[in-house]
Amino acid sequence: MTTATAARPVTARRTTDRSAAESRLATKLVAPAVILMLLVTAYPMLQALYLSLFRYRLTTPGEREFVGLNNYTTALTDSLFWNDLFNTVVIMVVSVAVELVIGFAFAMVMHKIIFGRGVMRTSILIPYGIITVVSAFAWQFAFSLNNGFVNGWLSWLPWISPDTNWFGSHWPAMFAIIASEIWKTTPFMSLLLLAGLSQVSEDMLEAAQVDGATWFQRLYKVILPNMRAAIMVAVLFRALDAFRIFDNIFVMTKGAQKTESSSFLTYRQVIEQFQLGMGSALSVLLFLSVLILAFGIVKLFRVDLAQARGES
Amino acid sequence: MKQRSGLGTWVGFALILVWCLLPVVWIISLSFKPVAETTVGSPQFLPKTWTIQNYKDILDNPDFQHALLNSFGIALISTALAVVFAMFCAYAIARLEFRGKRLVLSLALAIAMFPVVALVGPLFDLWRSIGLFNTWPGLIIPYMSFTLPLAIWTLSAFFREIPWEMEQAAQVDGATSWQAFRKVIVPLAAPGVFTAAILTFFFAWNEFVLAISLTSTTASRTVPAQLSYFVGPDPFNPPYSQLATASVIVTIPVIIIVLLFQRRIVAGLTSGAVKG
């Protein structure tokens, strides 16, 4: 725990005057950022909460009809809402699980690489830096029936026919979307895990090895327990990130074959159909889902997040 | 653990390179295929005939030129402003004692996790009524707000490592406090600020949901949004080779930044997240 106070010169004696002045300065420094963040999140969120109680179409501005919780009951009884939420959860769970496994393997390799670290870092950052829309185009075309390489390259697998139409039905299309998501963010996951891995004590590992622990025992008894905080941060960030998946779906299927996500449904209500009331209700539901998800993950790993990230 | 790299490590190394670069090579290959080759059923990986016609077409396309200009302008302005605000905030968090420090960090955390789409409706409505819809500031303001959390964390993690005592030491040696700050602290802080700027730029360069929701013409549409509307004359057969070409062009700045600053980007991405 190196708190901010520890970094301060010990000679500076703190009088109440001084700390009050310091506190005033801090307020001035922090205020612009906080105001900006609140302006673009808190205000619209409250506005969404308010608008969700109305039937409000932008095509007929000025006509707001108070409908109470009607938008919510309509949404929650619509099978489309549940279909899209289900898709979102499937995408999130599969992506995070696969990324965690592959990302960990990548991190183990990167940890051992001595030569070529620069090459490694450069290539690993390219998927992270590339525009999602661009990677979605690349994958859409790679999976396309007649022009992509995927069918050609995978046709040796017994269950994949060389003329598979990936975007012709639900699960294959979902597979293509998830593949593009996993491709893009696995390297990011591996970087976070690598940072965690490099903090596992070498002495402890050597001691375990001397005591005759097998590779698996070292992994389960030493490496993974010591990386809990790193794994949690990685899972939390990726899960919440995957939960708002939008770009890939917009580019690859435009929501066809029932591949819409919750974000996509919300977007469509607001921007394409101008149903601001209904869209706002969906926004609120989306926000609640994210809150529940975040809370669930933090509880699951039992780590105080603000402490893990900020204060310690 | 760090003995010499074994065979398995090298196989792993090769696999990682293939994983990271395969789709990129694919899109570069597409960009050199003639339009006809991408519409008639030609699944082969490399072009049968190579052409640079796509690059000529795309660079001559006024919509693409506008989008590129918008993307650069909006991303650079958002980055500059966000980093300045984040610097103030991170300095206070790392250096000063004040109540609500934890609250600020939690707020930033909450915003970093926010589903951006949830704000699109109210922002769309508000921007239209105050005239920010389809303008540069209409995207810059939300981009600043959404990149602030990442920038604040990266910077506050970085600032905490700076030995602030050196500032005092310089003053004891006769420097004014401004001189001490400028000559001692600024050079130490610069790499962190720079890293935060790169990450912020990546975000703004990448952002898509707001870019398609809060714009309507090429006056403010950024490259990701423009690409998604890029259909050409036949909507059922979008000119994929040209799309690929545009994609390669917008990826070039990212690759240059990554090549030059990979070490700092990795440090920035992981410092806030893991070291805390």
Side-chain angles (χ1 to χ4, degrees):
Chain A
M1 287 277 280
T2 44
T3 56
T5 31
R8 297 168 46 78
V10 273
T11 48
R13 280 185 58 202
R14 305 267 309 277
T15 62
T16 32
D17 260 12
R18 193 188 161 87
S19 82
E22 199 169 89
S23 181
R24 270 197 303 276
L25 173 63
T27 312
K28 277 184 207 147
L29 290 172
V30 168
V34 169
I35 290 170
L36 249 171
M37 291 193 284
L38 289 178
L39 176 77
V40 177
T41 50
Y43 167 77
M45 208 57 240
L46 292 173
Q47 180 76 355
L49 206 57
Y50 173 72
L51 288 176
S52 69
L53 304 175
F54 292 84
R55 176 175 295 129
Y56 177 27
R57 294 197 54 147
L58 278 177
T59 43
T60 52
E63 283 179 38
R64 282 189 204 172
E65 185 196 342
F66 184 81
V67 292
L69 295 176
N70 256 9
N71 287 327
Y72 291 97
T73 48
T74 312
L76 291 173
T77 49
D78 187 353
S79 65
L80 194 62
F81 174 83
W82 296 106
N83 171 71
D84 294 1
L85 186 63
F86 178 67
N87 283 345
T88 313
V89 171
V90 168
I91 292 171
M92 178 192 78
V93 171
V94 176
S95 309
V96 173
V98 174
E99 283 168 27
L100 205 52
V101 173
I102 302 180
F104 191 77
F106 280 12
M108 297 281 274
V109 171
M110 291 198 290
H111 191 60
K112 287 207 168 185
I113 288 284
I114 296 163
F115 298 109
R117 280 185 177 234
V119 179
M120 184 64 103
R121 268 196 303 253
T122 304
S123 18
I124 213 106
L125 282 172
I126 285 174
Y128 170 78
I130 208 170
I131 296 179
T132 316
V133 170
V134 167
S135 83
F137 271 128
W139 282 109
Q140 184 201 23
F141 208 68
F143 276 103
S144 79
L145 175 55
N146 295 317
N147 293 303
F149 66 83
V150 170
N151 274 342
W153 287 12
L154 288 188
S155 55
W156 57 273
L157 292 170
W159 61 91
I160 290 182
S161 120
D163 46 42
T164 306
N165 182 3
W166 292 90
F167 298 108
S169 50
H170 178 73
W171 286 113
M174 288 281 283
F175 179 86
I177 290 168
I178 293 173
S180 81
E181 177 80 358
I182 291 174
W183 173 74
K184 188 160 166 23
T185 45
T186 298
F188 175 67
M189 182 74 100
S190 68
L191 280 180
L192 293 185
L193 294 176
L194 176 63
L197 195 59
S198 56
Q199 295 198 321
V200 176
S201 137
E202 296 284 332
D203 294 349
M204 241 165 31
L205 280 170
E206 264 163 39
Q209 195 160 18
V210 170
D211 289 348
T214 63
W215 186 83
F216 270 107
Q217 281 171 331
R218 273 178 283 153
L219 183 66
Y220 279 104
K221 300 254 164 75
V222 183
I223 298 180
L224 291 180
N226 278 299
M227 284 179 65
R228 211 182 64 174
I231 293 175
M232 190 220 51
V233 171
V235 167
L236 181 67
F237 272 74
R238 268 304 295 142
L240 294 171
D241 194 34
F243 199 84
R244 49 188 175 201
I245 185 166
F246 178 84
D247 310 15
N248 317 38
I249 299 176
F250 188 97
V251 169
M252 296 175 82
T253 64
K254 286 252 184 334
Q257 311 300 348
K258 292 203 161 197
T259 53
E260 274 191 353
S261 64
S262 299
S263 283
F264 201 97
L265 177 67
T266 313
Y267 165 83
R268 223 158 38 81
Q269 285 291 323
V270 175
I271 301 298
E272 288 180 3
Q273 303 181 358
F274 298 117
Q275 299 275 17
L276 210 54
M278 185 53 154
S280 297
L282 289 170
S283 301
V284 174
L285 291 173
L286 184 62
F287 180 63
L288 287 179
S289 321
V290 169
L291 268 188
I292 293 170
L293 180 64
F295 193 72
I297 295 174
V298 172
K299 271 269 169 286
L300 188 72
F301 283 87
R302 291 191 298 274
V303 171
D304 180 352
L305 197 66
Q307 199 168 21
R309 284 195 64 99
E311 298 276 83
S312 61
Chain B
M1 282 261 286
K2 284 196 185 164
Q3 316 102 341
R4 60 201 177 78
S5 312
L7 181 67
T9 311
W10 288 108
V11 173
F13 184 60
L15 278 176
I16 296 176
L17 289 192
V18 170
W19 173 287
C20 294
L21 300 179
L22 180 74
V24 179
V25 176
W26 169 241
I27 220 161
I28 294 172
S29 149
L30 275 176
S31 76
F32 287 106
K33 286 183 179 178
V35 177
E37 213 177 300
T38 59
T39 49
V40 292
S42 154
Q44 89 180 42
F45 197 88
L46 294 174
K48 283 181 194 133
T49 37
W50 295 72
T51 173
I52 56 161
Q53 189 57 39
N54 296 316
Y55 284 87
K56 287 183 184 157
D57 291 347
I58 261 306
L59 290 171
D60 271 342
N61 183 325
D63 289 351
F64 183 72
Q65 293 167 356
H66 271 289
L68 213 50
L69 180 70
N70 291 336
S71 268
F72 266 113
I74 290 170
L76 288 175
I77 297 173
S78 321
T79 302
L81 294 175
V83 167
V84 170
F85 286 128
M87 239 161 67
F88 292 152
C89 189
Y91 175 83
I93 288 171
R95 186 79 200 283
L96 305 175
E97 271 313 305
F98 64 99
R99 284 173 57 187
K101 189 185 278 193
R102 236 180 121 94
L103 192 70
V104 174
L105 282 166
S106 312
L107 174 74
L109 186 75
I111 288 171
M113 295 170 180
F114 218 79
V116 179
V117 160
L119 306 175
V120 154
L123 275 181
F124 179 74
D125 203 21
L126 179 67
W127 269 201
R128 276 159 53 111
S129 57
I130 61 176
L132 282 180
F133 182 73
N134 201 29
T135 63
W136 279 24
L139 286 182
I140 291 171
I141 295 170
Y143 285 5
M144 283 168 68
S145 320
F146 283 116
T147 51
L148 274 173
L150 183 63
I152 290 172
W153 274 327
T154 312
L155 283 173
S156 59
F158 192 88
F159 284 178
R160 260 197 294 270
E161 309 279 310
I162 291 182
W164 296 98
E165 297 85 349
M166 283 172 64
E167 193 185 0
Q168 240 84 23
Q171 284 185 40
V172 171
D173 289 348
T176 64
S177 55
W178 171 243
Q179 278 175 331
F181 182 75
R182 200 169 55 90
K183 295 249 169 76
V184 178
I185 298 303
V186 171
L188 285 173
V193 173
F194 196 71
T195 304
I198 293 172
L199 298 179
T200 305
F201 181 83
F202 272 8
F203 174 92
W205 191 247
N206 234 318
E207 204 287 328
F208 182 62
V209 180
L210 296 167
I212 54 166
S213 307
L214 302 179
T215 65
S216 59
T217 67
T218 50
S220 62
R221 208 175 263 160
T222 57
V223 168
Q226 188 62 38
L227 282 180
S228 76
Y229 286 107
F230 192 79
V231 271
D234 176 3
F236 295 101
N237 273 317
Y240 274 107
S241 49
Q242 286 186 21
L243 257 177
T245 312
S247 301
V248 171
I249 295 172
V250 300
T251 307
I252 290 171
V254 170
I255 293 187
I256 293 175
I257 294 175
V258 166
L259 275 175
L260 293 176
F261 308 112
Q262 24 98 3
R263 197 188 293 263
R264 281 185 190 165
I265 303 172
V266 170
L269 281 176
T270 49
S271 69
V274 180
K275 282 188 213 138

